[in-house]
Amino acid sequence: MSREIDEGLERAERTRPIPVHLNTRVKFLWEKVAKEDTAKLAQAAGVSQRTAQRWTHALKALAEGRMKGDIPMTKTNARKVEQAVRATWQPGVRRRVRRDAEQRGFMLHISATFGFSAASGSTDDPRPRVITQKMPGDVARRLYAARDAGASQAQQEALLAEALREHYFKDGGRRAAGLDVELNDISWMDLEGL
């Protein structure tokens, strides 16, 4: 499933990208999240304690030069590690960015296909647009709340379409009364703080 909105929120919350290499991700979880406790590592990554122990032995072997390459791991566990790192990466920065966005708003940059219907019942064919729009804090609060509640991409797109309808297409009620907007096919999206 497509995750453009979730990923846009995550990118906005980081000053540095998460580590790219699997070994570095496991090392981050081991040292910073689990504080070198295999039970905590297993819990953070959602794996058995035995699996976490194998990973820590591999980390030690890598550090001592007895092993080369990546820590042996299934694709499912590699995804779990990535999710755990995303969830715990730069917690102070994440809190600050979220607080600021919810208070002051954010700048939305999006390329997507939009469909429209007017009050008279006529519809325009969906068309691609590139939009840069300042969004208020209440939009950030709704998007974060939806993400926290596990909303689907479609539900988040509906929230974003509603916000764009009001703040971009209708310009806060100054034009296009009765216009309804549907957000389809996000090509790319970025959020930045104000």
Side-chain angles (χ1 to χ4, degrees):
M1 172 186 268
S2 187
R3 296 184 59 238
E4 289 91 354
I5 296 173
D6 283 346
E7 290 170 1
L9 290 169
E10 287 176 8
R11 278 191 306 276
E13 292 174 336
R14 293 189 303 263
T15 57
R16 291 178 297 143
I18 68 168
V20 173
H21 300 303
L22 180 63
N23 295 353
T24 310
R25 289 175 178 177
V26 173
K27 185 176 179 183
F28 167 78
L29 290 176
W30 173 241
E31 293 176 353
K32 304 293 185 189
V33 176
K35 307 290 187 207
E36 300 189 6
D37 180 322
T38 53
K40 289 180 182 176
L41 176 61
Q43 183 179 11
V47 297
S48 71
Q49 189 165 350
R50 180 66 189 121
T51 297
Q53 288 169 344
R54 282 194 295 272
W55 294 350
T56 60
H57 290 299
L59 282 175
K60 185 176 180 183
L62 285 164
E64 294 172 352
R66 293 182 287 117
M67 181 179 148
K68 295 200 182 301
D70 285 334
I71 296 170
M73 187 177 304
T74 65
K75 288 181 182 181
T76 300
N77 283 347
R79 279 193 299 276
K80 288 179 180 180
V81 166
E82 180 181 359
Q83 289 169 348
V85 171
R86 282 189 191 284
T88 55
W89 189 249
Q90 294 186 305
V93 172
R94 290 172 70 101
R95 283 191 300 273
R96 187 194 72 223
V97 167
R98 181 174 180 162
R99 182 192 66 232
D100 291 349
E102 290 178 345
Q103 290 175 355
R104 297 190 322 239
F106 62 95
M107 191 63 71
L108 171 69
H109 307 279
I110 187 168
S111 174
T113 303
F114 292 88
F116 308 93
S117 54
S120 65
S122 65
T123 60
D124 292 338
D125 289 331
R127 57 184 167 209
R129 286 185 184 248
V130 176
I131 296 173
T132 295
Q133 176 67 34
K134 181 186 182 302
M135 302 301 262
D138 68 308
V139 174
R141 280 190 293 280
R142 290 196 314 255
L143 285 173
Y144 279 117
R147 183 188 70 178
D148 294 347
S152 69
Q153 176 76 13
Q155 292 167 319
Q156 292 177 55
E157 285 176 2
L159 286 172
L160 200 53
E162 178 186 322
L164 283 165
R165 179 189 69 215
E166 295 306 315
H167 299 285
Y168 178 79
F169 293 103
K170 293 175 93 174
D171 194 19
R174 289 187 281 276
R175 65 172 186 243
L179 179 72
D180 196 16
V181 176
E182 184 178 305
L183 177 59
N184 305 304
D185 189 30
I186 299 174
S187 299
W188 55 263
M189 186 187 104
D190 248 333
L191 306 164
E192 65 179 291
L194 298 175

